[in-house]
Amino acid sequence: MALFNFGGGFKPKQFGFKPRYYDQDKEELQARLAKYDREMDNAELMKERIKSGFKYSSGGDRASHRAASRKSNIRLFIIIIALGLAAVMILQSDSITNMMKAMQGGVVE
């Protein structure tokens, strides 16, 4: 059968997925407006308000998360450099060698 292939071979099946536009801000706005449209008891309304407060106070968008992450990484890098410099200064000083000799019972110069 493979010898009599006059069509030029098989063509792969095309992937025809067309993504839809997703607007997160619009969906959040609709969710906030919907909670006032429907009838809720007082306790359920309070739970929803608390949940949305935690989400918005934690900086739910990606840009603020990236900025906070960048600041944290820079702060960590500065701390590592400062600790490294302090370690080099301590190791190059004579106080460490004198302390080690004193612990071993040797004579300190």
Side-chain angles (χ1 to χ4, degrees), residues 82-96:
L83 289 175
L85 289 174
V88 167
M89 289 175 58
I90 290 172
L91 290 175
Q92 287 182 349
S93 70
D94 292 333
S95 63
I96 295 293

Side-chain angles (χ1 to χ4, degrees), residues 69-80:
S69 177
R70 189 176 306 122
K71 285 181 184 178
S72 175
N73 289 340
I74 290 171
R75 189 177 306 123
L76 179 65
F77 185 68
I78 290 172
I79 290 172
I80 289 173

Side-chain angles (χ1 to χ4, degrees), residues 39-52:
E39 292 296 323
M40 279 194 220
D41 61 350
N42 204 11
E44 190 174 335
L45 184 62
M46 192 177 345
K47 286 180 188 177
E48 289 289 327
R49 194 177 306 133
I50 290 171
K51 187 193 307 183
S52 66

Side-chain angles (χ1 to χ4, degrees), residues 7-9 16-17 25-27 33-34 36 42 58 61 76 83-84 102 105 108:
F17 176 73
D25 295 332
K26 182 179 178 182
E27 189 169 299
L33 291 176
Y36 294 112
N42 204 11
S58 65
D61 60 338
L76 179 65
L83 289 175
V108 179

Side-chain angles (χ1 to χ4, degrees), residues 25-38 40 48 55-56:
D25 295 332
K26 182 179 178 182
E27 189 169 299
E28 289 174 359
L29 176 65
Q30 288 176 350
R32 280 185 271 153
L33 291 176
K35 75 178 178 182
Y36 294 112
D37 289 341
R38 63 179 184 237
M40 279 194 220
E48 289 289 327
K55 185 167 81 172
Y56 292 118

